[in-house]
Amino acid sequence: MYQKGENIGFESMDGIWTDYIDHVWYFFIKDRVWVGEERHNALHNQMSVSFFSKGCVDGFLLEIEDCLETSDIPLCVKDADDAFFETLAQPIPESWALVLVDEDGTVAAVRTDAFSKENSDMLKQLLLKRKDEGYTSENFDAAYDKIMAVYEPYQLEQFVRFVQREGRK
């Protein structure tokens, strides 16, 4: 688990992306500088993590009240290795960690929670099913590009399979 003040250990551009390690979905958001109010809001305000599916495109939607408008994070399981699917098949609940990253790769803040049992099970089932579906990473990329040409991230909420809400104002 990442800790405030440590370096994430790899180069990345500004933006938002996900990683998955040992039943934890990491949602990284890298920006030039996170000011105090943004850090506070990211750690304490109402947050929702949603999972959407449209055609062969899956992904997460993140929203944090007074901090982050709805942002999409595409997820193509065709890029995953066998260890990813082996981990998903284990009867261990899924959790998540929001990691705010400064321009230099330093962790500015971390927020963690767990998916409900129902949402965790649904996420695993959906992703395990995708493994054997007949599309490629290239098909995913083309479909994602088409979706992004038509929809803003908040408009993807109509394709949400579940929403996990957490936090308070």
Side-chain angles (χ1 to χ4, degrees):
M1 184 66 64
Y2 292 92
Q3 301 293 320
K4 182 179 176 181
E6 80 175 280
N7 191 286
I8 60 172
F10 55 88
E11 292 292 320
S12 66
M13 297 182 355
D14 288 0
I16 186 168
W17 70 94
T18 189
D19 195 6
Y20 180 76
I21 303 168
D22 297 328
H23 302 282
V24 179
W25 290 93
Y26 290 92
F27 302 115
F28 294 92
I29 306 174
K30 184 175 180 184
D31 202 354
R32 198 170 55 81
V33 175
W34 291 97
V35 296
E37 182 179 357
E38 289 174 315
R39 289 180 196 198
H40 178 270
N41 292 348
L43 292 175
H44 300 287
N45 286 7
Q46 178 74 40
M47 178 174 170
S48 65
V49 178
S50 306
F51 185 79
F52 73 91
S53 291
K54 170 122 176 78
C56 69
V57 175
D58 298 313
F60 292 96
L61 299 176
L62 293 184
E63 182 178 8
I64 306 169
E65 190 174 299
D66 296 329
C67 181
L68 178 70
E69 294 182 9
T70 303
S71 293
D72 67 296
I73 308 171
L75 174 65
C76 180
V77 298
K78 295 299 182 175
D79 294 333
D81 60 13
D82 289 337
F84 171 79
F85 294 104
E86 289 168 10
T87 302
L88 281 180
Q90 297 170 357
I92 298 171
E94 302 294 293
S95 60
W96 57 265
L98 173 69
V99 182
L100 303 184
V101 181
D102 284 331
E103 183 177 42
D104 65 357
T106 301
V107 175
V110 179
R111 177 178 181 171
T112 61
D113 206 344
F115 288 107
S116 69
K117 179 176 179 0
E118 296 79 17
N119 290 345
S120 181
D121 290 347
M122 183 184 297
L123 177 60
K124 288 179 176 199
Q125 290 169 4
L126 290 167
L127 295 178
L128 286 168
K129 181 181 170 191
R130 286 285 196 204
K131 178 183 180 185
D132 298 321
E133 291 182 0
Y135 67 94
T136 65
S137 295
E138 291 78 19
N139 298 136
F140 175 94
D141 291 341
Y144 179 70
D145 288 344
K146 286 179 185 177
I147 288 171
M148 295 310 344
V150 174
Y151 300 100
E152 293 294 322
Y154 71 90
Q155 294 173 313
L156 296 173
E157 291 172 352
Q158 64 185 307
F159 307 112
V160 164
R161 304 300 294 268
F162 70 79
V163 179
Q164 182 80 39
R165 286 190 175 85
E166 192 277 332
R168 66 214 169 282
K169 182 125 181 162

